[in-house]
Amino acid sequence: MTGTGTTTRLTEVLAAARADNRAALVGYLPAGYPSVEGSAAAMRAMVEGGCDIIEVGLPYSDPQMDGPVIQRAVEHALAHGTNTHHVIDNVRAVAETGAATLVMSYWNPIERYGVERFASELAAAGGSGVITPDLIPDEAHEWIAATDRHRLDRIFLVALSSSDERVAYTTRHCGGFVYAASVMGVTGARASVSTLAGDLVARTRATTDLPVCVGLGVSTAAQAAEVAGYADGVIVGSAFVRALLDAPNERAGLDAVRALAGELAEGVRKR
Amino acid sequence: MSSTAQLPDPSGHFGVFGGRFLPEALIAALDELTAAYEKAKDDPEFQAEFTGLLRDYAGRPSIVTEAPRFAEHAGGARIILKREDLNHTGSHKINNVLGQAILTKRMGKTRVIAETGAGQHGVATATACALLGLECVVYMGELDTQRQALNVARMRVLGAEVIPVAIGSRTLKDAINEALRDWVANVDTTHYLLGTAAGAHPFPAMVRDFVRVISVEARQQVLDLTGKLPDAVCACVGGGSNAIGAFHAFIPDEGVRLYGFEAGGDGVETGRHAASITGGSIGVLHGARTYLLQDEYGQTQESHSISAGLDYPAVGPEHAWLHQTGRAIYRPIDDAPAMEAFRLLCRTEGIIPAIESAHALAGAIEVGRELGPDATILVNLSGRGDKDMHTAAKYFDLLDAEAEQS
Ligand SMILES: Cc1ncc(COP(=O)(O)O)c(C=O)c1O
């Protein structure tokens, strides 16, 4: 389901959450774990549980931003032949639910698939946009043109180490929302969410009217509520992957991610 | 070609190659490093400290050695070896490491991390950290820690912590990923001392500048010895540091042919090789746009080579550019001719080369036969082969059954 007119489904979903006076819940899973069908089913279960936005991860051989939990799932997905077509298939399966659907991908797989081809197939599948953790706007000329052509939201990251100038430069090139990375480090659950994240969100808001979503390290409802206190969206990845990895079988995995989404969805409503 | 000396452009591009393809969290560190390096480059104090260490610690200038008995097998061309094997720690790697280690101190950082494949860069880094009192952590693929157990011990003796990386292909590329993950989390105190002329800007340019001394010295040494410039320069290419160091001062000399020899492994046609330029395609890996080994979906493919130091699925962006412009010529050398050249240099000149460098020697044999007896060929002997005795002994079946047991 694509957005209406010039806004994407992503923008609509974030606006609806804001109107509800709550943060949106963004859930990540890599395509292809435990299988291509299995990841689609798990993402749909996350939507049933309360995720507003799903990030479909494109499994990549060299995931520099990811910690051991996501690495393990991604390695399994690649070993079982998951490829870019499967990612687009997962996007289609999730977008049909009405959730806003994004792809999270390192840059090389997109460049190799063909920037124009990737953008057009993603838009046709109902995707709203793409998060690119290792692409900065400075290197994104072709990507900016292709995403503009296909009305996809480009989501770049801002970091605790970003200068105010770089935050402004980065948000200027974003659409949908700005991804604020709350810790200096890789993905993975953490005991506490950095107190510096609030400051980064404030610095980001000073440069843009776009929603700001916070990711890296959130795994519990309490952390989700804390982040929802200052962000427009709470991004959870490793905790969902962990729930799948720890489940004894696929059915239990679906129940686990649905339940986790339910808890986190309550969290983002307790800001 | 005269503009090449000014590359990369201010944002780190060599034509379409290079740049910065890393998480935003690291951009501030790359900016800080760029600024520190730009300042150091023009600072006589830094240059004095760097050249002082190269002279008094690493043993520069390295000599050149003519190799007439070896040359008989290379079409009779005159072969001159640039002896980077005689540097402290046994390879060209020490040049770059000393430069970056001094820079680390100037940036006020106390901790150094590095990746290593064969262990040569890890050993050089552990050495410089011991010398300058820096904490040192080296990431090494688990597979490589087994293949290069002796170098693991060398690093530990020097006080470095060696962390085996057990994810992905468990080789050099995964060690780089793990080092990058460490860097993101510890960037305030830590410098990532990258071991080759690859990665995100400013690494390719900075590493090149630190190893450039190879060609600056060799150019004058060949002139002094022969009265003219060489007709060709040969170097092996892994990530590309010794090759860019051997090429760079010759780039404006249009009459000097530049040859880079990549690891052909079992043969480029078998798919089991490490020839990124001759057997790969353009993409992005470890922070730069360059040539790499990848499948149709952009997944990095594993490289293969008998030489651990060349066993890397990408190459520095300046080589990608030199290839695209035609200024340098890149060819694969398979395991077998490399090992033949290894043995030949041992037997004809009494010099045991690193197996990496043996790829340049095998290439020089080819080039010598093409250019004929009037040609002079400079070969960069990037390292010594002590570390490769185990591989060579196995390859040539030199160990007694009993010795093989232990
Ligand atoms: C002796 C020697 N030569 C060459 C290389 C390849 O690296 P580069 O291409 O950066 O010179 C290595 C790497 O370990 C090495 O030890």
mmCIF file with all atom_site columns, all heavy atoms in Angstrom, chain A residues 59 61-63 66 75 85 108 111 139 161-162, chain B residues 20 24-25 168 173 177 181 284 289 294 298-300:
data_model
loop_
_atom_site.group_PDB
_atom_site.id
_atom_site.type_symbol
_atom_site.label_atom_id
_atom_site.label_alt_id
_atom_site.label_comp_id
_atom_site.label_asym_id
_atom_site.label_entity_id
_atom_site.label_seq_id
_atom_site.pdbx_PDB_ins_code
_atom_site.Cartn_x
_atom_site.Cartn_y
_atom_site.Cartn_z
_atom_site.occupancy
_atom_site.B_iso_or_equiv
_atom_site.pdbx_formal_charge
_atom_site.auth_seq_id
_atom_site.auth_comp_id
_atom_site.auth_asym_id
_atom_site.auth_atom_id
_atom_site.pdbx_PDB_model_num
ATOM 1   N N   . PRO A 1 59  ? 20.109 -8.849  3.759  1.00 0.00 ? 59  PRO A N   1
ATOM 2   C CA  . PRO A 1 59  ? 21.292 -9.522  4.314  1.00 0.00 ? 59  PRO A CA  1
ATOM 3   C C   . PRO A 1 59  ? 22.532 -9.243  3.461  1.00 0.00 ? 59  PRO A C   1
ATOM 4   O O   . PRO A 1 59  ? 22.478 -9.329  2.233  1.00 0.00 ? 59  PRO A O   1
ATOM 5   C CB  . PRO A 1 59  ? 20.924 -11.010 4.248  1.00 0.00 ? 59  PRO A CB  1
ATOM 6   C CG  . PRO A 1 59  ? 19.448 -11.050 4.079  1.00 0.00 ? 59  PRO A CG  1
ATOM 7   C CD  . PRO A 1 59  ? 19.082 -9.807  3.335  1.00 0.00 ? 59  PRO A CD  1
ATOM 8   N N   . SER A 1 61  ? 26.992 -9.564  3.281  1.00 0.00 ? 61  SER A N   1
ATOM 9   C CA  . SER A 1 61  ? 28.150 -10.345 3.739  1.00 0.00 ? 61  SER A CA  1
ATOM 10  C C   . SER A 1 61  ? 29.045 -9.591  4.716  1.00 0.00 ? 61  SER A C   1
ATOM 11  O O   . SER A 1 61  ? 29.796 -10.210 5.464  1.00 0.00 ? 61  SER A O   1
ATOM 12  C CB  . SER A 1 61  ? 28.988 -10.764 2.523  1.00 0.00 ? 61  SER A CB  1
ATOM 13  O OG  . SER A 1 61  ? 29.303 -9.635  1.717  1.00 0.00 ? 61  SER A OG  1
ATOM 14  N N   . ASP A 1 62  ? 29.010 -8.254  4.701  1.00 0.00 ? 62  ASP A N   1
ATOM 15  C CA  . ASP A 1 62  ? 29.929 -7.479  5.528  1.00 0.00 ? 62  ASP A CA  1
ATOM 16  C C   . ASP A 1 62  ? 29.198 -6.409  6.342  1.00 0.00 ? 62  ASP A C   1
ATOM 17  O O   . ASP A 1 62  ? 29.381 -5.209  6.109  1.00 0.00 ? 62  ASP A O   1
ATOM 18  C CB  . ASP A 1 62  ? 31.011 -6.854  4.632  1.00 0.00 ? 62  ASP A CB  1
ATOM 19  C CG  . ASP A 1 62  ? 31.873 -7.933  4.000  1.00 0.00 ? 62  ASP A CG  1
ATOM 20  O OD1 . ASP A 1 62  ? 32.868 -8.324  4.603  1.00 0.00 ? 62  ASP A OD1 1
ATOM 21  O OD2 . ASP A 1 62  ? 31.497 -8.422  2.910  1.00 0.00 ? 62  ASP A OD2 1
ATOM 22  N N   . PRO A 1 63  ? 28.380 -6.863  7.315  1.00 0.00 ? 63  PRO A N   1
ATOM 23  C CA  . PRO A 1 63  ? 27.525 -5.926  8.051  1.00 0.00 ? 63  PRO A CA  1
ATOM 24  C C   . PRO A 1 63  ? 28.258 -5.180  9.162  1.00 0.00 ? 63  PRO A C   1
ATOM 25  O O   . PRO A 1 63  ? 28.201 -5.545  10.321 1.00 0.00 ? 63  PRO A O   1
ATOM 26  C CB  . PRO A 1 63  ? 26.431 -6.842  8.625  1.00 0.00 ? 63  PRO A CB  1
ATOM 27  C CG  . PRO A 1 63  ? 27.112 -8.160  8.818  1.00 0.00 ? 63  PRO A CG  1
ATOM 28  C CD  . PRO A 1 63  ? 28.185 -8.251  7.760  1.00 0.00 ? 63  PRO A CD  1
ATOM 29  N N   . ASP A 1 66  ? 26.521 -3.987  12.447 1.00 0.00 ? 66  ASP A N   1
ATOM 30  C CA  . ASP A 1 66  ? 25.721 -4.934  13.213 1.00 0.00 ? 66  ASP A CA  1
ATOM 31  C C   . ASP A 1 66  ? 26.530 -5.750  14.207 1.00 0.00 ? 66  ASP A C   1
ATOM 32  O O   . ASP A 1 66  ? 27.643 -6.173  13.930 1.00 0.00 ? 66  ASP A O   1
ATOM 33  C CB  . ASP A 1 66  ? 24.980 -5.875  12.255 1.00 0.00 ? 66  ASP A CB  1
ATOM 34  C CG  . ASP A 1 66  ? 23.861 -5.141  11.541 1.00 0.00 ? 66  ASP A CG  1
ATOM 35  O OD1 . ASP A 1 66  ? 23.044 -4.535  12.248 1.00 0.00 ? 66  ASP A OD1 1
ATOM 36  O OD2 . ASP A 1 66  ? 23.831 -5.147  10.303 1.00 0.00 ? 66  ASP A OD2 1
ATOM 37  N N   . GLU A 1 75  ? 23.940 -14.211 8.500  1.00 0.00 ? 75  GLU A N   1
ATOM 38  C CA  . GLU A 1 75  ? 24.806 -15.259 7.967  1.00 0.00 ? 75  GLU A CA  1
ATOM 39  C C   . GLU A 1 75  ? 23.961 -16.469 7.546  1.00 0.00 ? 75  GLU A C   1
ATOM 40  O O   . GLU A 1 75  ? 24.163 -17.046 6.481  1.00 0.00 ? 75  GLU A O   1
ATOM 41  C CB  . GLU A 1 75  ? 25.832 -15.663 9.032  1.00 0.00 ? 75  GLU A CB  1
ATOM 42  C CG  . GLU A 1 75  ? 27.125 -16.182 8.467  1.00 0.00 ? 75  GLU A CG  1
ATOM 43  C CD  . GLU A 1 75  ? 28.237 -16.242 9.524  1.00 0.00 ? 75  GLU A CD  1
ATOM 44  O OE1 . GLU A 1 75  ? 28.049 -16.865 10.590 1.00 0.00 ? 75  GLU A OE1 1
ATOM 45  O OE2 . GLU A 1 75  ? 29.287 -15.642 9.280  1.00 0.00 ? 75  GLU A OE2 1
ATOM 46  N N   . HIS A 1 85  ? 15.901 -10.198 -4.609 1.00 0.00 ? 85  HIS A N   1
ATOM 47  C CA  . HIS A 1 85  ? 14.512 -10.471 -5.020 1.00 0.00 ? 85  HIS A CA  1
ATOM 48  C C   . HIS A 1 85  ? 13.669 -10.869 -3.817 1.00 0.00 ? 85  HIS A C   1
ATOM 49  O O   . HIS A 1 85  ? 12.508 -10.472 -3.701 1.00 0.00 ? 85  HIS A O   1
ATOM 50  C CB  . HIS A 1 85  ? 14.460 -11.605 -6.051 1.00 0.00 ? 85  HIS A CB  1
ATOM 51  C CG  . HIS A 1 85  ? 15.310 -11.358 -7.252 1.00 0.00 ? 85  HIS A CG  1
ATOM 52  N ND1 . HIS A 1 85  ? 15.041 -10.357 -8.144 1.00 0.00 ? 85  HIS A ND1 1
ATOM 53  C CD2 . HIS A 1 85  ? 16.431 -11.979 -7.697 1.00 0.00 ? 85  HIS A CD2 1
ATOM 54  C CE1 . HIS A 1 85  ? 15.961 -10.367 -9.098 1.00 0.00 ? 85  HIS A CE1 1
ATOM 55  N NE2 . HIS A 1 85  ? 16.816 -11.341 -8.848 1.00 0.00 ? 85  HIS A NE2 1
ATOM 56  N N   . ASN A 1 108 ? 26.412 -1.435  -0.993 1.00 0.00 ? 108 ASN A N   1
ATOM 57  C CA  . ASN A 1 108 ? 26.882 -2.169  -2.168 1.00 0.00 ? 108 ASN A CA  1
ATOM 58  C C   . ASN A 1 108 ? 25.814 -3.045  -2.832 1.00 0.00 ? 108 ASN A C   1
ATOM 59  O O   . ASN A 1 108 ? 25.743 -3.092  -4.055 1.00 0.00 ? 108 ASN A O   1
ATOM 60  C CB  . ASN A 1 108 ? 28.135 -2.986  -1.867 1.00 0.00 ? 108 ASN A CB  1
ATOM 61  C CG  . ASN A 1 108 ? 28.818 -3.445  -3.134 1.00 0.00 ? 108 ASN A CG  1
ATOM 62  O OD1 . ASN A 1 108 ? 29.101 -2.623  -4.010 1.00 0.00 ? 108 ASN A OD1 1
ATOM 63  N ND2 . ASN A 1 108 ? 29.043 -4.739  -3.266 1.00 0.00 ? 108 ASN A ND2 1
ATOM 64  N N   . GLU A 1 111 ? 23.807 -0.771  -5.080 1.00 0.00 ? 111 GLU A N   1
ATOM 65  C CA  . GLU A 1 111 ? 24.573 -0.320  -6.252 1.00 0.00 ? 111 GLU A CA  1
ATOM 66  C C   . GLU A 1 111 ? 24.722 -1.459  -7.265 1.00 0.00 ? 111 GLU A C   1
ATOM 67  O O   . GLU A 1 111 ? 24.603 -1.263  -8.472 1.00 0.00 ? 111 GLU A O   1
ATOM 68  C CB  . GLU A 1 111 ? 25.950 0.173   -5.792 1.00 0.00 ? 111 GLU A CB  1
ATOM 69  C CG  . GLU A 1 111 ? 26.826 0.621   -6.939 1.00 0.00 ? 111 GLU A CG  1
ATOM 70  C CD  . GLU A 1 111 ? 27.970 1.524   -6.498 1.00 0.00 ? 111 GLU A CD  1
ATOM 71  O OE1 . GLU A 1 111 ? 27.723 2.489   -5.747 1.00 0.00 ? 111 GLU A OE1 1
ATOM 72  O OE2 . GLU A 1 111 ? 29.110 1.262   -6.927 1.00 0.00 ? 111 GLU A OE2 1
ATOM 73  N N   . GLU A 1 139 ? 27.878 10.991  -0.737 1.00 0.00 ? 139 GLU A N   1
ATOM 74  C CA  . GLU A 1 139 ? 28.187 9.998   -1.782 1.00 0.00 ? 139 GLU A CA  1
ATOM 75  C C   . GLU A 1 139 ? 26.924 9.541   -2.506 1.00 0.00 ? 139 GLU A C   1
ATOM 76  O O   . GLU A 1 139 ? 26.945 8.537   -3.208 1.00 0.00 ? 139 GLU A O   1
ATOM 77  C CB  . GLU A 1 139 ? 28.869 8.769   -1.160 1.00 0.00 ? 139 GLU A CB  1
ATOM 78  C CG  . GLU A 1 139 ? 30.182 9.061   -0.443 1.00 0.00 ? 139 GLU A CG  1
ATOM 79  C CD  . GLU A 1 139 ? 31.349 9.292   -1.405 1.00 0.00 ? 139 GLU A CD  1
ATOM 80  O OE1 . GLU A 1 139 ? 31.159 9.123   -2.631 1.00 0.00 ? 139 GLU A OE1 1
ATOM 81  O OE2 . GLU A 1 139 ? 32.435 9.657   -0.913 1.00 0.00 ? 139 GLU A OE2 1
ATOM 82  N N   . SER A 1 161 ? 28.347 11.599  17.275 1.00 0.00 ? 161 SER A N   1
ATOM 83  C CA  . SER A 1 161 ? 29.584 12.288  16.894 1.00 0.00 ? 161 SER A CA  1
ATOM 84  C C   . SER A 1 161 ? 29.379 13.311  15.775 1.00 0.00 ? 161 SER A C   1
ATOM 85  O O   . SER A 1 161 ? 30.314 14.029  15.430 1.00 0.00 ? 161 SER A O   1
ATOM 86  C CB  . SER A 1 161 ? 30.619 11.252  16.439 1.00 0.00 ? 161 SER A CB  1
ATOM 87  O OG  . SER A 1 161 ? 30.095 10.487  15.364 1.00 0.00 ? 161 SER A OG  1
ATOM 88  N N   . SER A 1 162 ? 28.173 13.373  15.206 1.00 0.00 ? 162 SER A N   1
ATOM 89  C CA  . SER A 1 162 ? 27.942 14.308  14.093 1.00 0.00 ? 162 SER A CA  1
ATOM 90  C C   . SER A 1 162 ? 27.988 15.747  14.596 1.00 0.00 ? 162 SER A C   1
ATOM 91  O O   . SER A 1 162 ? 27.350 16.080  15.594 1.00 0.00 ? 162 SER A O   1
ATOM 92  C CB  . SER A 1 162 ? 26.565 14.067  13.460 1.00 0.00 ? 162 SER A CB  1
ATOM 93  O OG  . SER A 1 162 ? 26.429 12.742  13.021 1.00 0.00 ? 162 SER A OG  1
ATOM 94  N N   . ARG B 2 20  ? 33.983 7.932   0.700  1.00 0.00 ? 20  ARG B N   1
ATOM 95  C CA  . ARG B 2 20  ? 33.722 7.489   2.073  1.00 0.00 ? 20  ARG B CA  1
ATOM 96  C C   . ARG B 2 20  ? 32.385 6.782   2.129  1.00 0.00 ? 20  ARG B C   1
ATOM 97  O O   . ARG B 2 20  ? 31.332 7.433   2.082  1.00 0.00 ? 20  ARG B O   1
ATOM 98  C CB  . ARG B 2 20  ? 33.664 8.689   3.011  1.00 0.00 ? 20  ARG B CB  1
ATOM 99  C CG  . ARG B 2 20  ? 35.003 9.259   3.372  1.00 0.00 ? 20  ARG B CG  1
ATOM 100 C CD  . ARG B 2 20  ? 34.808 10.461  4.262  1.00 0.00 ? 20  ARG B CD  1
ATOM 101 N NE  . ARG B 2 20  ? 36.082 10.957  4.750  1.00 0.00 ? 20  ARG B NE  1
ATOM 102 C CZ  . ARG B 2 20  ? 36.211 12.065  5.471  1.00 0.00 ? 20  ARG B CZ  1
ATOM 103 N NH1 . ARG B 2 20  ? 35.146 12.785  5.769  1.00 0.00 ? 20  ARG B NH1 1
ATOM 104 N NH2 . ARG B 2 20  ? 37.404 12.443  5.887  1.00 0.00 ? 20  ARG B NH2 1
ATOM 105 N N   . GLU B 2 24  ? 27.844 7.226   9.366  1.00 0.00 ? 24  GLU B N   1
ATOM 106 C CA  . GLU B 2 24  ? 28.001 8.624   9.782  1.00 0.00 ? 24  GLU B CA  1
ATOM 107 C C   . GLU B 2 24  ? 28.769 8.727   11.102 1.00 0.00 ? 24  GLU B C   1
ATOM 108 O O   . GLU B 2 24  ? 29.537 9.672   11.313 1.00 0.00 ? 24  GLU B O   1
ATOM 109 C CB  . GLU B 2 24  ? 26.609 9.262   9.910  1.00 0.00 ? 24  GLU B CB  1
ATOM 110 C CG  . GLU B 2 24  ? 26.549 10.621  10.590 1.00 0.00 ? 24  GLU B CG  1
ATOM 111 C CD  . GLU B 2 24  ? 27.254 11.727  9.818  1.00 0.00 ? 24  GLU B CD  1
ATOM 112 O OE1 . GLU B 2 24  ? 27.475 11.579  8.600  1.00 0.00 ? 24  GLU B OE1 1
ATOM 113 O OE2 . GLU B 2 24  ? 27.597 12.750  10.464 1.00 0.00 ? 24  GLU B OE2 1
ATOM 114 N N   . ALA B 2 25  ? 28.586 7.745   11.993 1.00 0.00 ? 25  ALA B N   1
ATOM 115 C CA  . ALA B 2 25  ? 29.255 7.790   13.298 1.00 0.00 ? 25  ALA B CA  1
ATOM 116 C C   . ALA B 2 25  ? 30.771 7.898   13.152 1.00 0.00 ? 25  ALA B C   1
ATOM 117 O O   . ALA B 2 25  ? 31.438 8.403   14.050 1.00 0.00 ? 25  ALA B O   1
ATOM 118 C CB  . ALA B 2 25  ? 28.888 6.562   14.129 1.00 0.00 ? 25  ALA B CB  1
ATOM 119 N N   . GLY B 2 168 ? 31.727 -14.759 9.644  1.00 0.00 ? 168 GLY B N   1
ATOM 120 C CA  . GLY B 2 168 ? 31.911 -14.650 8.196  1.00 0.00 ? 168 GLY B CA  1
ATOM 121 C C   . GLY B 2 168 ? 32.913 -15.670 7.690  1.00 0.00 ? 168 GLY B C   1
ATOM 122 O O   . GLY B 2 168 ? 32.918 -16.821 8.123  1.00 0.00 ? 168 GLY B O   1
ATOM 123 N N   . LYS B 2 173 ? 38.969 -9.925  5.590  1.00 0.00 ? 173 LYS B N   1
ATOM 124 C CA  . LYS B 2 173 ? 37.862 -8.986  5.413  1.00 0.00 ? 173 LYS B CA  1
ATOM 125 C C   . LYS B 2 173 ? 36.989 -8.923  6.656  1.00 0.00 ? 173 LYS B C   1
ATOM 126 O O   . LYS B 2 173 ? 36.468 -7.864  7.006  1.00 0.00 ? 173 LYS B O   1
ATOM 127 C CB  . LYS B 2 173 ? 37.047 -9.315  4.161  1.00 0.00 ? 173 LYS B CB  1
ATOM 128 C CG  . LYS B 2 173 ? 35.984 -10.369 4.344  1.00 0.00 ? 173 LYS B CG  1
ATOM 129 C CD  . LYS B 2 173 ? 35.086 -10.464 3.113  1.00 0.00 ? 173 LYS B CD  1
ATOM 130 C CE  . LYS B 2 173 ? 34.040 -11.565 3.269  1.00 0.00 ? 173 LYS B CE  1
ATOM 131 N NZ  . LYS B 2 173 ? 33.046 -11.282 4.321  1.00 0.00 ? 173 LYS B NZ  1
ATOM 132 N N   . ASN B 2 177 ? 36.062 -5.784  9.279  1.00 0.00 ? 177 ASN B N   1
ATOM 133 C CA  . ASN B 2 177 ? 34.725 -5.467  9.789  1.00 0.00 ? 177 ASN B CA  1
ATOM 134 C C   . ASN B 2 177 ? 34.736 -5.332  11.295 1.00 0.00 ? 177 ASN B C   1
ATOM 135 O O   . ASN B 2 177 ? 34.142 -4.407  11.865 1.00 0.00 ? 177 ASN B O   1
ATOM 136 C CB  . ASN B 2 177 ? 33.721 -6.556  9.387  1.00 0.00 ? 177 ASN B CB  1
ATOM 137 C CG  . ASN B 2 177 ? 33.491 -6.608  7.890  1.00 0.00 ? 177 ASN B CG  1
ATOM 138 O OD1 . ASN B 2 177 ? 33.693 -5.622  7.185  1.00 0.00 ? 177 ASN B OD1 1
ATOM 139 N ND2 . ASN B 2 177 ? 33.078 -7.759  7.392  1.00 0.00 ? 177 ASN B ND2 1
ATOM 140 N N   . ARG B 2 181 ? 33.962 -2.121  13.782 1.00 0.00 ? 181 ARG B N   1
ATOM 141 C CA  . ARG B 2 181 ? 32.976 -2.137  14.870 1.00 0.00 ? 181 ARG B CA  1
ATOM 142 C C   . ARG B 2 181 ? 33.596 -1.640  16.163 1.00 0.00 ? 181 ARG B C   1
ATOM 143 O O   . ARG B 2 181 ? 32.988 -0.893  16.924 1.00 0.00 ? 181 ARG B O   1
ATOM 144 C CB  . ARG B 2 181 ? 32.422 -3.553  15.052 1.00 0.00 ? 181 ARG B CB  1
ATOM 145 C CG  . ARG B 2 181 ? 31.580 -4.032  13.883 1.00 0.00 ? 181 ARG B CG  1
ATOM 146 C CD  . ARG B 2 181 ? 31.005 -5.440  14.116 1.00 0.00 ? 181 ARG B CD  1
ATOM 147 N NE  . ARG B 2 181 ? 30.380 -5.916  12.899 1.00 0.00 ? 181 ARG B NE  1
ATOM 148 C CZ  . ARG B 2 181 ? 30.800 -6.961  12.173 1.00 0.00 ? 181 ARG B CZ  1
ATOM 149 N NH1 . ARG B 2 181 ? 31.837 -7.670  12.570 1.00 0.00 ? 181 ARG B NH1 1
ATOM 150 N NH2 . ARG B 2 181 ? 30.175 -7.293  11.058 1.00 0.00 ? 181 ARG B NH2 1
ATOM 151 N N   . VAL B 2 284 ? 31.505 -1.298  -3.835 1.00 0.00 ? 284 VAL B N   1
ATOM 152 C CA  . VAL B 2 284 ? 31.919 -0.601  -2.617 1.00 0.00 ? 284 VAL B CA  1
ATOM 153 C C   . VAL B 2 284 ? 32.220 -1.639  -1.542 1.00 0.00 ? 284 VAL B C   1
ATOM 154 O O   . VAL B 2 284 ? 31.413 -2.542  -1.305 1.00 0.00 ? 284 VAL B O   1
ATOM 155 C CB  . VAL B 2 284 ? 30.789 0.337   -2.136 1.00 0.00 ? 284 VAL B CB  1
ATOM 156 C CG1 . VAL B 2 284 ? 31.033 0.789   -0.706 1.00 0.00 ? 284 VAL B CG1 1
ATOM 157 C CG2 . VAL B 2 284 ? 30.661 1.540   -3.065 1.00 0.00 ? 284 VAL B CG2 1
ATOM 158 N N   . ARG B 2 289 ? 34.751 3.093   -3.030 1.00 0.00 ? 289 ARG B N   1
ATOM 159 C CA  . ARG B 2 289 ? 34.355 2.494   -4.301 1.00 0.00 ? 289 ARG B CA  1
ATOM 160 C C   . ARG B 2 289 ? 35.629 2.054   -5.012 1.00 0.00 ? 289 ARG B C   1
ATOM 161 O O   . ARG B 2 289 ? 36.576 2.820   -5.164 1.00 0.00 ? 289 ARG B O   1
ATOM 162 C CB  . ARG B 2 289 ? 33.570 3.468   -5.174 1.00 0.00 ? 289 ARG B CB  1
ATOM 163 C CG  . ARG B 2 289 ? 33.158 2.811   -6.493 1.00 0.00 ? 289 ARG B CG  1
ATOM 164 C CD  . ARG B 2 289 ? 32.225 3.654   -7.359 1.00 0.00 ? 289 ARG B CD  1
ATOM 165 N NE  . ARG B 2 289 ? 30.873 3.655   -6.843 1.00 0.00 ? 289 ARG B NE  1
ATOM 166 C CZ  . ARG B 2 289 ? 30.249 4.728   -6.366 1.00 0.00 ? 289 ARG B CZ  1
ATOM 167 N NH1 . ARG B 2 289 ? 30.867 5.883   -6.357 1.00 0.00 ? 289 ARG B NH1 1
ATOM 168 N NH2 . ARG B 2 289 ? 29.026 4.643   -5.902 1.00 0.00 ? 289 ARG B NH2 1
ATOM 169 N N   . GLN B 2 294 ? 32.737 -9.896  -6.062 1.00 0.00 ? 294 GLN B N   1
ATOM 170 C CA  . GLN B 2 294 ? 31.365 -9.883  -5.558 1.00 0.00 ? 294 GLN B CA  1
ATOM 171 C C   . GLN B 2 294 ? 30.483 -10.685 -6.502 1.00 0.00 ? 294 GLN B C   1
ATOM 172 O O   . GLN B 2 294 ? 30.792 -10.864 -7.676 1.00 0.00 ? 294 GLN B O   1
ATOM 173 C CB  . GLN B 2 294 ? 30.853 -8.440  -5.463 1.00 0.00 ? 294 GLN B CB  1
ATOM 174 C CG  . GLN B 2 294 ? 30.888 -7.697  -6.798 1.00 0.00 ? 294 GLN B CG  1
ATOM 175 C CD  . GLN B 2 294 ? 30.397 -6.251  -6.696 1.00 0.00 ? 294 GLN B CD  1
ATOM 176 O OE1 . GLN B 2 294 ? 29.625 -5.918  -5.817 1.00 0.00 ? 294 GLN B OE1 1
ATOM 177 N NE2 . GLN B 2 294 ? 30.852 -5.410  -7.621 1.00 0.00 ? 294 GLN B NE2 1
ATOM 178 N N   . GLY B 2 298 ? 25.966 -8.292  -5.134 1.00 0.00 ? 298 GLY B N   1
ATOM 179 C CA  . GLY B 2 298 ? 26.820 -7.381  -4.373 1.00 0.00 ? 298 GLY B CA  1
ATOM 180 C C   . GLY B 2 298 ? 27.328 -7.958  -3.072 1.00 0.00 ? 298 GLY B C   1
ATOM 181 O O   . GLY B 2 298 ? 27.830 -7.226  -2.216 1.00 0.00 ? 298 GLY B O   1
ATOM 182 N N   . GLN B 2 299 ? 27.189 -9.272  -2.897 1.00 0.00 ? 299 GLN B N   1
ATOM 183 C CA  . GLN B 2 299 ? 27.771 -9.918  -1.719 1.00 0.00 ? 299 GLN B CA  1
ATOM 184 C C   . GLN B 2 299 ? 29.251 -10.170 -2.006 1.00 0.00 ? 299 GLN B C   1
ATOM 185 O O   . GLN B 2 299 ? 29.603 -10.657 -3.086 1.00 0.00 ? 299 GLN B O   1
ATOM 186 C CB  . GLN B 2 299 ? 27.070 -11.255 -1.425 1.00 0.00 ? 299 GLN B CB  1
ATOM 187 C CG  . GLN B 2 299 ? 25.555 -11.152 -1.320 1.00 0.00 ? 299 GLN B CG  1
ATOM 188 C CD  . GLN B 2 299 ? 25.078 -10.390 -0.091 1.00 0.00 ? 299 GLN B CD  1
ATOM 189 O OE1 . GLN B 2 299 ? 25.834 -10.206 0.865  1.00 0.00 ? 299 GLN B OE1 1
ATOM 190 N NE2 . GLN B 2 299 ? 23.837 -9.930  -0.126 1.00 0.00 ? 299 GLN B NE2 1
ATOM 191 N N   . THR B 2 300 ? 30.087 -9.833  -1.044 1.00 0.00 ? 300 THR B N   1
ATOM 192 C CA  . THR B 2 300 ? 31.519 -10.030 -1.221 1.00 0.00 ? 300 THR B CA  1
ATOM 193 C C   . THR B 2 300 ? 31.821 -11.521 -1.338 1.00 0.00 ? 300 THR B C   1
ATOM 194 O O   . THR B 2 300 ? 31.303 -12.330 -0.571 1.00 0.00 ? 300 THR B O   1
ATOM 195 C CB  . THR B 2 300 ? 32.279 -9.461  -0.015 1.00 0.00 ? 300 THR B CB  1
ATOM 196 O OG1 . THR B 2 300 ? 31.803 -8.137  0.237  1.00 0.00 ? 300 THR B OG1 1
ATOM 197 C CG2 . THR B 2 300 ? 33.776 -9.429  -0.280 1.00 0.00 ? 300 THR B CG2 1
#
